[in-house]
Amino acid sequence: MNYIDLRSDTVTWPTEAMRKAMAQAPVGDDVYGDDPTVNELERLAAEMTGKEAALFVPSGTFGNQLSLFTWCPRGSEVILGEQCHIIQHEAGAASVIAGVQTRPIFAPDGIPPLETIEERIRGNDIHYPPTSLICIENAHSSGRVIPLSYMKEVAQLAHAHGLPVHLDGARLFNAAVSMGVSAIEISSTVDSVMFCLSKGLCAPVGSMLAGSREFIEKARRRRKIMGGGMRQVGVLAAAGLIALKDMTRRLAEDHENAHYLASQLAWIPGIEVEKEALDINMVFFKLPAGIDGSALVRYFKERGVLINPPEQGWCRFVTHYWIHKEDIDKVIGLMNDCIGAL
């Protein structure tokens, strides 16, 4: 059964063009640097982020953790917002892989206050783990984008203390579309950036890590340590090339669909839409009092729609390439019916 899947933009299937490109991709052993399709993808990713080099990695979590592993000495400390993906959704990997301590900061809307960041930077005291990295996330998993002006201030602060900045840009191109800027303008404010090919860009697998040539060469060795040397991986990189060349240009459509979905949900009595978190392709909302989230998930699935249950009281629907206006109309009809039934 082909479901309408609103759980995330990670659920996207590769397009027909991607499937054909994957079948026909020239390949080689990427660990030897012989895969021409991977090499082309890495060159394009570096160009589109304004960095000297880039590296193909299996996933966004892999790319973020590889960045920490590359930047941070073991036993050092990373400053980041408490609701960011690295803290909330990467299974505590920073302590396992890089051997670092995370120092989360209260960060409303994904924006840790600058003065708090500066207060958290450790001095040269034998009792403290030395600060080695500052991480920010844009677009943030709350559905908001982070202003360029703020990112520049974080970079200025970090560099004044001799620290690099890493950007979890899983949805970098969504942020760029929402802000009306290029991805280069966002990534130019940081020292390394990770972005996903397998979210709204429809590639079946993969993310990119970009930075200076020296940083990427160090990361390449550490990717090998983490088991990320993937041999004839051009069959996957081919889909990544289409993701960057074509799919980045259509993300505004997903944002428009998210706004349409939010506007229709807002008409349903008792539903509270988070209107301040509509920067990209995510819609956050609260159900009417008394509605069982688990029952809602079952009701939708029985009728061909996949959704996640509420988390801390909030539901999230995510639009993507395979979600069309008529799908949204069906979802709104089901929501009306379900709330009436429950």
Side-chain angles (χ1 to χ4, degrees):
M1 180 176 183
N2 288 335
Y3 287 93
I4 297 171
D5 199 337
L6 293 168
R7 292 173 298 173
S8 178
D9 48 7
T10 62
V11 302
T12 50
W13 306 312
T15 65
E16 188 61 29
M18 287 180 176
R19 293 177 186 273
K20 290 178 180 178
M22 292 167 69
Q24 299 168 1
V27 298
D29 190 319
D30 181 49
V31 175
Y32 284 111
D34 291 344
D35 193 304
T37 311
V38 173
N39 293 342
E40 182 183 354
L41 175 63
E42 291 176 345
R43 285 193 295 269
L44 181 60
E47 177 184 329
M48 293 180 71
T49 54
K51 298 301 183 186
E52 291 179 343
L55 187 65
F56 186 46
V57 296
S59 70
T61 294
F62 194 113
N64 280 334
Q65 296 303 325
L66 177 58
S67 181
L68 268 60
F69 192 23
T70 304
W71 283 120
C72 306
R74 295 184 70 81
S76 64
E77 189 170 71
V78 178
I79 295 174
L80 65 188
E82 66 179 1
Q83 293 300 320
C84 73
H85 194 276
I86 292 174
I87 288 285
Q88 295 291 338
H89 297 290
E90 298 189 6
S95 61
V96 178
I97 297 170
V100 297
Q101 177 167 294
T102 53
R103 195 171 196 196
I105 298 175
F106 176 65
D109 305 332
I111 304 178
L114 290 168
E115 60 273 18
T116 309
I117 293 176
E118 186 156 32
E119 288 170 1
R120 296 295 194 276
I121 296 174
R122 303 281 196 178
N124 185 21
D125 188 307
I126 195 172
H127 298 90
Y128 301 149
T131 306
S132 57
L133 182 67
I134 296 173
C135 295
I136 51 181
E137 184 177 338
N138 201 9
H140 194 264
S141 51
S142 65
R144 296 172 171 88
V145 299
I146 311 303
L148 271 179
S149 57
Y150 171 80
M151 295 184 66
K152 291 175 181 177
E153 289 176 321
V154 171
Q156 184 177 10
L157 172 62
H159 295 162
H161 288 271
L163 298 172
V165 180
H166 171 68
L167 172 62
D168 176 354
R171 296 180 177 89
L172 172 66
F173 294 96
N174 291 93
V177 167
S178 178
M179 299 166 75
V181 301
S182 69
I184 290 176
E185 290 178 79
I186 299 175
S187 57
S188 67
T189 64
V190 298
D191 300 286
S192 63
V193 55
M194 183 283 299
F195 65 84
C196 292
L197 302 167
S198 58
K199 286 192 166 68
L201 302 184
C202 282
V205 177
S207 292
M208 305 302 301
L209 180 62
S212 69
R213 189 164 285 104
E214 179 184 7
F215 171 79
I216 291 300
E217 284 309 306
K218 290 180 180 178
R220 190 177 296 276
R221 174 176 287 273
R222 286 161 177 78
R223 184 186 69 170
K224 176 67 174 174
I225 293 170
M226 292 170 64
M230 297 182 288
R231 306 303 178 183
Q232 289 76 24
V233 75
V235 292
L236 299 176
L241 283 168
I242 293 174
L244 291 184
K245 292 176 180 178
D246 298 337
M247 305 305 283
T248 54
R249 300 180 181 181
R250 55 150 311 277
L251 292 174
E253 180 182 335
D254 297 339
H255 296 189
E256 290 167 6
N257 282 336
H259 278 268
Y260 177 68
L261 173 58
S263 70
Q264 297 305 299
L265 283 170
W267 284 105
I268 299 175
I271 284 186
E272 176 190 344
V273 176
E274 178 56 91
K275 296 179 180 178
E276 301 303 315
L278 280 171
D279 290 340
I280 54 171
N281 59 326
M282 298 179 178
V283 180
F284 291 86
F285 62 96
K286 288 186 176 179
L287 296 169
I291 297 296
D292 182 347
S294 298
L296 184 73
V297 172
R298 290 193 300 271
Y299 183 93
F300 270 66
K301 186 174 183 180
E302 289 167 358
R303 290 155 180 83
V305 179
L306 299 180
I307 62 173
N308 283 325
E311 185 174 341
Q312 297 181 341
W314 288 97
C315 294
R316 186 190 77 167
F317 286 174
V318 184
T319 57
H320 50 77
Y321 179 80
W322 297 102
I323 299 296
H324 309 292
K325 188 177 178 182
E326 55 268 28
D327 299 322
I328 294 171
D329 290 336
K330 176 179 178 178
V331 167
I332 295 300
L334 288 174
M335 186 66 80
N336 270 306
D337 295 343
C338 181
I339 288 176
L342 296 178

